[in-house]
PDB file of all heavy atoms in Angstrom:
ATOM      1  N   VAL A1348      63.549 152.585 138.937  1.00 93.00           N
ATOM      2  CA  VAL A1348      63.148 152.999 137.596  1.00 93.00           C
ATOM      3  C   VAL A1348      61.633 152.837 137.494  1.00 93.00           C
ATOM      4  O   VAL A1348      61.087 151.825 137.924  1.00 93.00           O
ATOM      5  CB  VAL A1348      63.836 152.140 136.504  1.00 93.00           C
ATOM      6  CG1 VAL A1348      63.347 152.531 135.119  1.00 93.00           C
ATOM      7  CG2 VAL A1348      65.343 152.267 136.594  1.00 93.00           C
ATOM      8  N   GLU A1349      60.984 153.854 136.958  1.00 96.00           N
ATOM      9  CA  GLU A1349      59.540 153.782 136.740  1.00 96.00           C
ATOM     10  C   GLU A1349      59.237 154.029 135.270  1.00 96.00           C
ATOM     11  O   GLU A1349      59.917 154.810 134.601  1.00 96.00           O
ATOM     12  CB  GLU A1349      58.805 154.849 137.562  1.00 96.00           C
ATOM     13  CG  GLU A1349      58.588 154.479 138.990  1.00 96.00           C
ATOM     14  CD  GLU A1349      57.701 155.480 139.710  1.00 96.00           C
ATOM     15  OE1 GLU A1349      57.420 156.572 139.189  1.00 96.00           O
ATOM     16  OE2 GLU A1349      57.284 155.143 140.835  1.00 96.00           O
ATOM     17  N   TYR A1350      58.197 153.354 134.805  1.00 97.00           N
ATOM     18  CA  TYR A1350      57.721 153.524 133.436  1.00 97.00           C
ATOM     19  C   TYR A1350      56.331 154.128 133.490  1.00 97.00           C
ATOM     20  O   TYR A1350      55.522 153.764 134.334  1.00 97.00           O
ATOM     21  CB  TYR A1350      57.676 152.179 132.711  1.00 97.00           C
ATOM     22  CG  TYR A1350      59.039 151.566 132.541  1.00 97.00           C
ATOM     23  CD1 TYR A1350      59.557 150.716 133.504  1.00 97.00           C
ATOM     24  CD2 TYR A1350      59.813 151.863 131.427  1.00 97.00           C
ATOM     25  CE1 TYR A1350      60.820 150.165 133.361  1.00 97.00           C
ATOM     26  CE2 TYR A1350      61.086 151.320 131.282  1.00 97.00           C
ATOM     27  CZ  TYR A1350      61.575 150.473 132.244  1.00 97.00           C
ATOM     28  OH  TYR A1350      62.838 149.940 132.111  1.00 97.00           O
ATOM     29  N   SER A1351      56.069 155.048 132.571  1.00 98.00           N
ATOM     30  CA  SER A1351      54.754 155.677 132.500  1.00 98.00           C
ATOM     31  C   SER A1351      54.450 155.996 131.039  1.00 98.00           C
ATOM     32  O   SER A1351      55.339 155.987 130.190  1.00 98.00           O
ATOM     33  CB  SER A1351      54.719 156.956 133.336  1.00 98.00           C
ATOM     34  OG  SER A1351      55.691 157.880 132.872  1.00 98.00           O
ATOM     35  N   LEU A1352      53.183 156.272 130.784  1.00 98.00           N
ATOM     36  CA  LEU A1352      52.787 156.658 129.434  1.00 98.00           C
ATOM     37  C   LEU A1352      53.071 158.130 129.199  1.00 98.00           C
ATOM     38  O   LEU A1352      52.843 158.961 130.081  1.00 98.00           O
ATOM     39  CB  LEU A1352      51.290 156.400 129.223  1.00 98.00           C
ATOM     40  CG  LEU A1352      50.837 154.950 129.252  1.00 98.00           C
ATOM     41  CD1 LEU A1352      49.318 154.881 129.129  1.00 98.00           C
ATOM     42  CD2 LEU A1352      51.494 154.152 128.143  1.00 98.00           C
ATOM     43  N   THR A1353      53.568 158.452 128.035  1.00 98.00           N
ATOM     44  CA  THR A1353      53.711 159.844 127.616  1.00 98.00           C
ATOM     45  C   THR A1353      52.332 160.327 127.146  1.00 98.00           C
ATOM     46  O   THR A1353      51.402 159.515 126.996  1.00 98.00           O
ATOM     47  CB  THR A1353      54.701 159.947 126.445  1.00 98.00           C
ATOM     48  OG1 THR A1353      54.135 159.248 125.322  1.00 98.00           O
ATOM     49  CG2 THR A1353      56.068 159.378 126.798  1.00 98.00           C
ATOM     50  N   PRO A1354      52.186 161.607 126.879  1.00 97.00           N
ATOM     51  CA  PRO A1354      50.908 162.057 126.303  1.00 97.00           C
ATOM     52  C   PRO A1354      50.576 161.319 124.990  1.00 97.00           C
ATOM     53  O   PRO A1354      49.409 160.989 124.746  1.00 97.00           O
ATOM     54  CB  PRO A1354      51.134 163.549 126.066  1.00 97.00           C
ATOM     55  CG  PRO A1354      52.109 163.932 127.160  1.00 97.00           C
ATOM     56  CD  PRO A1354      53.043 162.744 127.254  1.00 97.00           C
ATOM     57  N   LEU A1355      51.594 161.023 124.189  1.00 97.00           N
ATOM     58  CA  LEU A1355      51.372 160.263 122.958  1.00 97.00           C
ATOM     59  C   LEU A1355      50.882 158.849 123.292  1.00 97.00           C
ATOM     60  O   LEU A1355      49.974 158.328 122.637  1.00 97.00           O
ATOM     61  CB  LEU A1355      52.671 160.206 122.138  1.00 97.00           C
ATOM     62  CG  LEU A1355      52.592 159.593 120.755  1.00 97.00           C
ATOM     63  CD1 LEU A1355      51.646 160.391 119.855  1.00 97.00           C
ATOM     64  CD2 LEU A1355      53.986 159.534 120.130  1.00 97.00           C
ATOM     65  N   GLY A1356      51.454 158.242 124.319  1.00 97.00           N
ATOM     66  CA  GLY A1356      51.022 156.918 124.759  1.00 97.00           C
ATOM     67  C   GLY A1356      49.604 156.935 125.309  1.00 97.00           C
ATOM     68  O   GLY A1356      48.825 156.010 125.069  1.00 97.00           O
ATOM     69  N   GLN A1357      49.255 157.987 126.025  1.00 97.00           N
ATOM     70  CA  GLN A1357      47.896 158.112 126.552  1.00 97.00           C
ATOM     71  C   GLN A1357      46.888 158.237 125.413  1.00 97.00           C
ATOM     72  O   GLN A1357      45.816 157.628 125.452  1.00 97.00           O
ATOM     73  CB  GLN A1357      47.790 159.311 127.495  1.00 97.00           C
ATOM     74  CG  GLN A1357      48.567 159.111 128.779  1.00 97.00           C
ATOM     75  CD  GLN A1357      48.678 160.388 129.605  1.00 97.00           C
ATOM     76  OE1 GLN A1357      48.306 161.471 129.165  1.00 97.00           O
ATOM     77  NE2 GLN A1357      49.215 160.253 130.811  1.00 97.00           N
ATOM     78  N   SER A1358      47.253 158.988 124.383  1.00 96.00           N
ATOM     79  CA  SER A1358      46.329 159.129 123.253  1.00 96.00           C
ATOM     80  C   SER A1358      46.214 157.814 122.483  1.00 96.00           C
ATOM     81  O   SER A1358      45.139 157.481 121.975  1.00 96.00           O
ATOM     82  CB  SER A1358      46.759 160.274 122.321  1.00 96.00           C
ATOM     83  OG  SER A1358      47.954 159.958 121.621  1.00 96.00           O
ATOM     84  N   LEU A1359      47.300 157.052 122.416  1.00 96.00           N
ATOM     85  CA  LEU A1359      47.246 155.735 121.774  1.00 96.00           C
ATOM     86  C   LEU A1359      46.344 154.795 122.568  1.00 96.00           C
ATOM     87  O   LEU A1359      45.509 154.088 121.993  1.00 96.00           O
ATOM     88  CB  LEU A1359      48.651 155.146 121.643  1.00 96.00           C
ATOM     89  CG  LEU A1359      48.762 153.745 121.048  1.00 96.00           C
ATOM     90  CD1 LEU A1359      48.123 153.672 119.668  1.00 96.00           C
ATOM     91  CD2 LEU A1359      50.229 153.319 120.986  1.00 96.00           C
ATOM     92  N   ASN A1360      46.470 154.815 123.878  1.00 94.00           N
ATOM     93  CA  ASN A1360      45.597 153.980 124.714  1.00 94.00           C
ATOM     94  C   ASN A1360      44.132 154.354 124.526  1.00 94.00           C
ATOM     95  O   ASN A1360      43.262 153.486 124.473  1.00 94.00           O
ATOM     96  CB  ASN A1360      45.980 154.114 126.191  1.00 94.00           C
ATOM     97  CG  ASN A1360      46.593 152.847 126.731  1.00 94.00           C
ATOM     98  OD1 ASN A1360      46.828 151.896 126.020  1.00 94.00           O
ATOM     99  ND2 ASN A1360      46.852 152.846 128.024  1.00 94.00           N
TER     100      ASN A1360
END
Side-chain angles (χ1 to χ4, degrees):
V1348 177
E1349 279 188 348
Y1350 296 90
S1351 59
L1352 294 176
T1353 65
L1355 187 62
Q1357 292 169 352
S1358 69
L1359 177 57
N1360 249 5

